[in-house]
Coordinates of all heavy atoms in Angstrom, one line a residue:
H393 N -46.3 23.0 -4.1 CA -47.5 23.8 -4.3 C -47.9 23.6 -5.8 O -47.2 24.0 -6.7 CB -47.3 25.2 -4.0 CG -48.4 26.2 -4.4 ND1 -49.7 25.8 -4.3 CD2 -48.4 27.4 -4.8 CE1 -50.4 26.9 -4.7 NE2 -49.6 27.8 -5.0
A394 N -49.1 23.1 -6.0 CA -49.5 22.9 -7.4 C -50.2 24.1 -8.0 O -50.8 24.9 -7.3 CB -50.6 21.7 -7.4
G395 N -50.0 24.2 -9.3 CA -50.6 25.3 -10.0 C -52.1 24.9 -10.3 O -52.5 23.8 -9.9
A396 N -52.8 25.7 -10.9 CA -54.2 25.5 -11.2 C -54.4 24.2 -12.0 O -55.5 23.6 -11.8 CB -54.8 26.7 -12.0
S397 N -53.5 23.8 -12.8 CA -53.6 22.6 -13.6 C -53.2 21.4 -12.9 O -53.5 20.3 -13.4 CB -52.8 22.8 -14.9 OG -51.4 22.7 -14.5
G398 N -52.5 21.5 -11.8 CA -51.9 20.3 -11.2 C -50.6 19.9 -11.8 O -50.0 18.9 -11.5
L399 N -50.1 20.8 -12.7 CA -48.8 20.6 -13.4 C -48.0 21.9 -13.1 O -48.5 23.0 -13.3 CB -49.0 20.5 -14.9 CG -49.8 19.3 -15.4 CD1 -50.1 19.5 -16.8 CD2 -49.1 18.0 -15.1
V400 N -46.8 21.7 -12.6 CA -45.9 22.8 -12.2 C -44.5 22.6 -12.7 O -44.0 21.5 -12.6 CB -45.9 23.0 -10.7 CG1 -45.1 24.3 -10.3 CG2 -47.3 23.1 -10.1
L401 N -43.9 23.7 -13.3 CA -42.6 23.7 -13.7 C -41.7 24.5 -12.8 O -42.1 25.6 -12.4 CB -42.5 24.3 -15.2 CG -41.1 24.4 -15.8 CD1 -40.4 23.0 -16.0 CD2 -41.1 25.1 -17.1
Y402 N -40.6 23.9 -12.3 CA -39.7 24.5 -11.3 C -38.3 24.5 -11.8 O -37.9 23.6 -12.6 CB -39.7 23.7 -10.0 CG -40.9 23.7 -9.2 CD1 -41.9 22.7 -9.3 CD2 -41.1 24.7 -8.2 CE1 -43.0 22.7 -8.6 CE2 -42.2 24.7 -7.4 CZ -43.2 23.7 -7.6 OH -44.3 23.7 -6.8
V403 N -37.5 25.5 -11.4 CA -36.0 25.4 -11.5 C -35.5 24.5 -10.5 O -35.8 24.6 -9.3 CB -35.4 26.8 -11.3 CG1 -33.9 26.8 -11.4 CG2 -36.0 27.8 -12.3
A404 N -34.8 23.4 -10.9 CA -34.4 22.4 -9.9 C -33.5 23.0 -8.8 O -33.7 22.6 -7.6 CB -33.6 21.3 -10.7
A405 N -32.6 23.8 -9.1 CA -31.6 24.3 -8.1 C -32.3 25.2 -7.0 O -31.8 25.2 -5.9 CB -30.5 25.1 -8.7
T406 N -33.3 25.9 -7.4 CA -33.9 26.9 -6.5 C -35.4 26.6 -6.1 O -35.9 27.3 -5.2 CB -33.9 28.3 -7.1 OG1 -34.7 28.3 -8.3 CG2 -32.5 28.7 -7.5
S407 N -36.0 25.7 -6.8 CA -37.4 25.4 -6.6 C -38.3 26.6 -7.0 O -39.5 26.6 -6.6 CB -37.7 25.0 -5.2 OG -37.1 23.7 -4.9
E408 N -37.8 27.6 -7.7 CA -38.5 28.7 -8.2 C -39.5 28.2 -9.3 O -39.2 27.5 -10.2 CB -37.6 29.7 -8.8 CG -38.3 30.9 -9.4 CD -37.4 31.9 -10.1 OE1 -36.1 31.7 -10.0 OE2 -37.9 32.8 -10.8
I409 N -40.8 28.6 -9.1 CA -41.8 28.2 -10.1 C -41.6 29.0 -11.4 O -41.4 30.2 -11.3 CB -43.2 28.5 -9.5 CG1 -43.5 27.6 -8.3 CG2 -44.3 28.3 -10.6 CD1 -44.8 27.9 -7.6
V410 N -41.6 28.3 -12.5 CA -41.5 29.0 -13.8 C -42.9 29.2 -14.4 O -43.7 28.2 -14.5 CB -40.7 28.1 -14.8 CG1 -40.6 28.7 -16.1 CG2 -39.3 27.8 -14.2
P411 N -43.3 30.4 -14.6 CA -44.6 30.6 -15.2 C -44.8 30.0 -16.6 O -43.9 30.1 -17.4 CB -44.7 32.2 -15.4 CG -43.7 32.7 -14.4 CD -42.6 31.7 -14.4
V412 N -45.9 29.2 -16.7 CA -46.2 28.5 -18.0 C -47.6 28.8 -18.4 O -48.5 29.1 -17.6 CB -45.9 27.0 -17.9 CG1 -44.4 26.7 -17.6 CG2 -46.8 26.4 -16.9
V413 N -47.8 28.6 -19.7 CA -49.2 28.5 -20.2 C -49.3 27.0 -20.5 O -48.5 26.4 -21.1 CB -49.3 29.3 -21.5 CG1 -50.7 29.1 -22.2 CG2 -49.1 30.8 -21.2
Y414 N -50.4 26.4 -20.1 CA -50.6 25.0 -20.3 C -51.9 24.7 -21.1 O -52.8 25.5 -21.1 CB -50.6 24.2 -19.0 CG -51.6 24.7 -18.0 CD1 -52.9 24.1 -18.0 CD2 -51.4 25.7 -17.1 CE1 -53.9 24.6 -17.2 CE2 -52.3 26.1 -16.2 CZ -53.6 25.6 -16.3 OH -54.5 26.0 -15.4
S415 N -51.9 23.6 -21.7 CA -53.1 23.1 -22.5 C -53.1 21.6 -22.4 O -52.1 21.0 -22.2 CB -53.1 23.7 -23.9 OG -51.9 23.2 -24.6
F416 N -54.2 21.1 -22.7 CA -54.4 19.6 -22.7 C -55.0 19.2 -24.1 O -55.8 20.0 -24.7 CB -55.4 19.2 -21.6 CG -54.8 19.4 -20.2 CD1 -55.2 20.5 -19.5 CD2 -54.0 18.5 -19.7 CE1 -54.7 20.7 -18.3 CE2 -53.5 18.7 -18.4 CZ -53.8 19.8 -17.7
S417 N -54.6 18.1 -24.6 CA -55.2 17.5 -25.8 C -56.7 17.2 -25.5 O -57.1 17.1 -24.3 CB -54.5 16.3 -26.2 OG -54.6 15.2 -25.2
A418 N -57.5 17.0 -26.6 CA -58.9 16.8 -26.4 C -59.2 15.6 -25.5 O -60.1 15.5 -24.8 CB -59.5 16.6 -27.8
D419 N -58.3 14.5 -25.6 CA -58.5 13.3 -24.8 C -57.8 13.4 -23.5 O -57.9 12.5 -22.7 CB -58.1 12.1 -25.6 CG -56.6 12.1 -25.9 OD1 -55.8 13.0 -25.5 OD2 -56.1 11.1 -26.6
R420 N -57.2 14.5 -23.2 CA -56.5 14.8 -21.9 C -55.4 13.8 -21.7 O -55.0 13.6 -20.5 CB -57.5 14.9 -20.8 CG -58.4 16.1 -20.9 CD -59.3 16.3 -19.7 NE -58.5 16.6 -18.5 CZ -58.2 17.8 -18.1 NH1 -58.5 18.9 -18.8 NH2 -57.6 18.0 -16.9
R421 N -54.8 13.2 -22.7 CA -53.7 12.3 -22.5 C -52.4 13.0 -22.7 O -51.3 12.5 -22.3 CB -53.8 11.2 -23.6 CG -54.9 10.2 -23.4 CD -54.9 9.1 -24.4 NE -55.9 8.2 -24.2 CZ -55.7 6.9 -23.8 NH1 -54.4 6.5 -23.7 NH2 -56.7 6.1 -23.6
T422 N -52.4 14.2 -23.2 CA -51.2 15.0 -23.4 C -51.4 16.4 -22.9 O -52.3 17.1 -23.2 CB -50.8 15.1 -24.9 OG1 -50.7 13.8 -25.5 CG2 -49.6 15.8 -25.2
A423 N -50.4 16.8 -22.0 CA -50.4 18.1 -21.5 C -49.2 18.8 -22.1 O -48.1 18.3 -22.3 CB -50.2 18.1 -20.0
T424 N -49.4 20.1 -22.5 CA -48.3 20.9 -23.1 C -48.1 22.1 -22.1 O -49.0 22.8 -21.9 CB -48.6 21.4 -24.5 OG1 -48.9 20.2 -25.3 CG2 -47.5 22.2 -25.1
L425 N -46.9 22.2 -21.7 CA -46.5 23.4 -20.8 C -45.5 24.2 -21.7 O -44.5 23.8 -22.1 CB -45.8 22.9 -19.6 CG -46.6 22.4 -18.4 CD1 -47.2 21.1 -18.7 CD2 -45.9 22.4 -17.2
T426 N -45.9 25.5 -21.9 CA -45.1 26.4 -22.7 C -44.7 27.5 -21.7 O -45.5 28.3 -21.2 CB -45.9 27.0 -23.8 OG1 -46.4 25.9 -24.6 CG2 -45.0 27.9 -24.7
P427 N -43.4 27.6 -21.4 CA -42.9 28.7 -20.6 C -43.2 30.1 -21.1 O -43.2 30.3 -22.3 CB -41.4 28.5 -20.5 CG -41.2 27.1 -21.0 CD -42.3 26.8 -21.9
V428 N -43.5 31.0 -20.2 CA -43.9 32.4 -20.6 C -42.6 33.1 -21.2 O -42.7 33.8 -22.1 CB -44.5 33.1 -19.4 CG1 -44.7 34.6 -19.8 CG2 -45.8 32.5 -19.0
T429 N -41.5 32.8 -20.6 CA -40.2 33.3 -21.1 C -39.3 32.1 -21.4 O -39.5 31.0 -20.9 CB -39.5 34.2 -20.1 OG1 -39.3 33.5 -18.9 CG2 -40.3 35.4 -19.8
P430 N -38.3 32.2 -22.3 CA -37.4 31.1 -22.6 C -36.7 30.5 -21.4 O -36.4 31.3 -20.5 CB -36.4 31.7 -23.6 CG -37.1 32.9 -24.2 CD -38.0 33.4 -23.1
L431 N -36.5 29.2 -21.4 CA -35.8 28.6 -20.3 C -34.3 28.9 -20.5 O -33.8 29.0 -21.6 CB -36.0 27.1 -20.3 CG -37.5 26.6 -20.1 CD1 -37.6 25.1 -20.2 CD2 -38.1 27.1 -18.8
A432 N -33.6 28.9 -19.4 CA -32.1 29.2 -19.4 C -31.4 27.9 -19.9 O -31.8 26.8 -19.7 CB -31.6 29.5 -18.0
S433 N -30.4 28.2 -20.7 CA -29.7 27.0 -21.3 C -28.8 26.3 -20.2 O -28.4 27.0 -19.3 CB -28.8 27.5 -22.4 OG -27.8 28.4 -22.0
G434 N -28.6 25.0 -20.4 CA -27.8 24.3 -19.5 C -28.3 24.2 -18.0 O -27.5 24.1 -17.1
T435 N -29.6 24.3 -17.9 CA -30.2 24.4 -16.5 C -31.2 23.2 -16.3 O -31.9 22.8 -17.2 CB -31.0 25.7 -16.4 OG1 -30.1 26.8 -16.7 CG2 -31.7 25.9 -15.1
Q436 N -31.2 22.7 -15.1 CA -32.1 21.6 -14.8 C -33.4 22.2 -14.3 O -33.5 23.1 -13.5 CB -31.5 20.7 -13.7 CG -30.4 19.8 -14.1 CD -30.1 18.8 -13.1 OE1 -30.0 19.1 -11.9 NE2 -29.8 17.6 -13.5
Y437 N -34.5 21.6 -14.8 CA -35.8 21.9 -14.4 C -36.5 20.6 -14.0 O -36.1 19.5 -14.4 CB -36.6 22.6 -15.6 CG -36.0 23.9 -15.9 CD1 -35.0 24.0 -16.9 CD2 -36.6 25.1 -15.4 CE1 -34.5 25.3 -17.2 CE2 -36.1 26.3 -15.7 CZ -35.1 26.4 -16.7 OH -34.6 27.6 -17.0
Y438 N -37.6 20.7 -13.3 CA -38.5 19.6 -13.1 C -39.9 20.0 -13.2 O -40.3 21.1 -12.9 CB -38.2 18.8 -11.8 CG -38.3 19.6 -10.5 CD1 -39.5 19.6 -9.8 CD2 -37.2 20.3 -10.0 CE1 -39.6 20.2 -8.6 CE2 -37.3 20.9 -8.8 CZ -38.5 20.9 -8.1 OH -38.6 21.6 -6.9
I439 N -40.7 19.0 -13.7 CA -42.1 19.2 -13.8 C -42.7 18.3 -12.7 O -42.4 17.1 -12.6 CB -42.6 18.7 -15.2 CG1 -42.0 19.7 -16.3 CG2 -44.1 18.7 -15.2 CD1 -42.3 19.2 -17.7
Q440 N -43.7 18.8 -12.0 CA -44.4 18.0 -11.0 C -45.8 17.8 -11.5 O -46.4 18.8 -11.9 CB -44.4 18.7 -9.6 CG -43.0 18.6 -9.0 CD -43.0 19.2 -7.6 OE1 -43.9 20.0 -7.3 NE2 -42.0 18.8 -6.8
V441 N -46.3 16.6 -11.3 CA -47.7 16.3 -11.6 C -48.3 15.9 -10.3 O -47.9 15.0 -9.6 CB -47.8 15.1 -12.6 CG1 -49.3 14.8 -12.9 CG2 -47.0 15.4 -13.9
W442 N -49.3 16.7 -9.9 CA -49.9 16.5 -8.6 C -51.2 15.6 -8.6 O -51.8 15.5 -9.6 CB -50.2 17.8 -8.0 CG -49.0 18.6 -7.6 CD1 -48.2 19.4 -8.5 CD2 -48.4 18.6 -6.4 NE1 -47.2 19.9 -7.8 CE2 -47.2 19.5 -6.5 CE3 -48.6 18.1 -5.1 CZ2 -46.4 19.7 -5.4 CZ3 -47.8 18.4 -4.1 CH2 -46.7 19.2 -4.2
Y443 N -51.5 15.1 -7.5 CA -52.8 14.4 -7.3 C -53.9 15.3 -7.8 O -53.9 16.5 -7.7 CB -53.1 14.2 -5.8 CG -52.1 13.4 -5.0 CD1 -51.1 14.0 -4.3 CD2 -52.1 12.0 -5.1 CE1 -50.2 13.3 -3.6 CE2 -51.2 11.3 -4.4 CZ -50.2 11.9 -3.6 OH -49.3 11.2 -2.9
G444 N -54.9 14.6 -8.4 CA -56.1 15.4 -8.8 C -56.1 15.8 -10.3 O -57.2 16.2 -10.8
V445 N -55.0 15.6 -11.0 CA -55.1 15.9 -12.5 C -56.0 14.8 -13.0 O -55.9 13.6 -12.7 CB -53.7 15.8 -13.1 CG1 -53.8 15.8 -14.6 CG2 -52.8 16.9 -12.6
A446 N -57.0 15.2 -13.8 CA -58.0 14.3 -14.3 C -58.1 14.2 -15.8 O -57.8 15.2 -16.5 CB -59.4 14.7 -13.7
D447 N -58.5 13.1 -16.3 CA -58.8 12.9 -17.7 C -60.2 13.4 -18.0 O -60.9 13.9 -17.1 CB -58.6 11.5 -18.2 CG -59.5 10.5 -17.6 OD1 -60.6 10.9 -17.0 OD2 -59.2 9.3 -17.7
I448 N -60.6 13.4 -19.3 CA -61.9 13.9 -19.7 C -63.1 13.2 -19.0 O -64.1 13.8 -18.8 CB -62.0 13.9 -21.2 CG1 -63.1 14.9 -21.6 CG2 -62.2 12.6 -21.8 CD1 -62.9 15.4 -23.1
A449 N -62.9 12.0 -18.6 CA -63.9 11.2 -17.9 C -64.0 11.5 -16.4 O -64.9 11.0 -15.7 CB -63.7 9.7 -18.2
G450 N -63.0 12.3 -16.0 CA -63.0 12.6 -14.5 C -62.2 11.7 -13.7 O -62.2 11.8 -12.5
N451 N -61.5 10.8 -14.3 CA -60.6 9.9 -13.5 C -59.4 10.7 -13.1 O -58.7 11.3 -13.9 CB -60.1 8.7 -14.4 CG -61.3 7.9 -14.9 OD1 -62.1 7.4 -14.2 ND2 -61.4 7.8 -16.2
T452 N -59.1 10.7 -11.8 CA -58.0 11.5 -11.3 C -56.7 10.7 -11.3 O -56.7 9.5 -11.1 CB -58.3 12.0 -9.9 OG1 -58.6 11.0 -9.0 CG2 -59.4 13.0 -9.9
F453 N -55.6 11.5 -11.4 CA -54.3 10.9 -11.3 C -54.0 10.4 -9.9 O -54.2 11.2 -9.0 CB -53.3 12.0 -11.7 CG -51.9 11.5 -12.1 CD1 -51.7 10.9 -13.3 CD2 -50.9 11.6 -11.2 CE1 -50.5 10.4 -13.7 CE2 -49.6 11.1 -11.6 CZ -49.4 10.5 -12.8
P454 N -53.6 9.2 -9.7 CA -53.6 8.6 -8.4 C -52.4 8.9 -7.5 O -52.4 8.6 -6.4 CB -53.7 7.1 -8.6 CG -53.0 6.9 -10.0 CD -53.4 8.2 -10.8
T455 N -51.4 9.6 -8.1 CA -50.2 9.7 -7.4 C -49.5 11.0 -7.8 O -49.9 11.7 -8.7 CB -49.2 8.5 -7.6 OG1 -48.1 8.6 -6.7 CG2 -48.7 8.4 -9.0
F456 N -48.3 11.3 -7.2 CA -47.5 12.4 -7.5 C -46.3 12.0 -8.2 O -45.7 11.0 -7.9 CB -47.1 13.1 -6.1 CG -45.9 14.0 -6.3 CD1 -46.1 15.4 -6.6 CD2 -44.6 13.6 -6.0 CE1 -45.1 16.2 -6.7 CE2 -43.6 14.5 -6.1 CZ -43.8 15.8 -6.4
L457 N -45.9 12.7 -9.3 CA -44.7 12.3 -10.1 C -43.9 13.6 -10.3 O -44.4 14.7 -10.3 CB -45.1 11.7 -11.5 CG -45.7 10.4 -11.5 CD1 -46.0 10.0 -12.9 CD2 -44.7 9.3 -11.0
Q458 N -42.6 13.3 -10.5 CA -41.7 14.5 -10.8 C -40.8 14.0 -11.9 O -40.2 12.9 -11.8 CB -40.9 14.8 -9.5 CG -40.0 15.9 -9.7 CD -39.4 16.4 -8.3 OE1 -40.1 16.9 -7.5 NE2 -38.2 16.1 -8.1
F459 N -40.6 14.9 -12.9 CA -39.7 14.6 -14.0 C -38.6 15.6 -14.1 O -38.9 16.8 -14.1 CB -40.5 14.6 -15.3 CG -41.7 13.6 -15.3 CD1 -43.0 14.0 -15.0 CD2 -41.5 12.3 -15.7 CE1 -44.0 13.1 -15.0 CE2 -42.5 11.4 -15.6 CZ -43.8 11.8 -15.3
L460 N -37.4 15.2 -14.2 CA -36.2 16.1 -14.2 C -35.7 16.1 -15.6 O -35.6 15.1 -16.3 CB -35.2 15.6 -13.2 CG -33.9 16.5 -13.2 CD1 -34.2 17.8 -12.5 CD2 -32.8 15.7 -12.3
F461 N -35.4 17.3 -16.1 CA -34.7 17.4 -17.4 C -33.7 18.6 -17.4 O -33.8 19.5 -16.5 CB -35.7 17.6 -18.6 CG -36.5 18.9 -18.5 CD1 -36.1 20.0 -19.3 CD2 -37.7 19.0 -17.8 CE1 -36.8 21.2 -19.3 CE2 -38.4 20.2 -17.8 CZ -37.9 21.3 -18.5
T462 N -32.8 18.6 -18.3 CA -31.8 19.7 -18.5 C -31.9 20.3 -19.9 O -31.9 19.5 -20.9 CB -30.4 19.1 -18.2 OG1 -30.3 18.5 -16.9 CG2 -29.3 20.3 -18.3
T463 N -31.9 21.6 -20.0 CA -32.0 22.2 -21.3 C -30.6 22.2 -21.9 O -29.6 22.0 -21.2 CB -32.4 23.7 -21.1 OG1 -31.5 24.4 -20.2 CG2 -33.8 23.8 -20.7
Q464 N -30.5 22.3 -23.2 CA -29.2 22.2 -23.9 C -28.4 23.4 -23.6 O -28.9 24.5 -23.5 CB -29.5 22.1 -25.4 CG -30.2 20.9 -25.9 CD -29.2 19.7 -25.7 OE1 -28.0 19.7 -26.0 NE2 -29.8 18.6 -25.3
P465 N -27.1 23.2 -23.5 CA -26.2 24.4 -23.2 C -26.1 25.3 -24.4 O -26.4 24.9 -25.5 CB -24.9 23.8 -22.9 CG -24.9 22.4 -23.1 CD -26.4 22.0 -23.4

């Protein structure tokens, strides 16, 4: 399930959505997701980028991607 931005942060083990505040650079090449509360240490999270994320010219992202990362213990 995509958030309003088409970018969603999840806890990998539970698929729980992590509330974030997001912003985009002026050229829409960089998205910044800032968790509302600190992330748990030593925990895996993934960010999903969904179809429909668009750049400033309206070009939409053509596919779905998922990025996995682990916070420092």
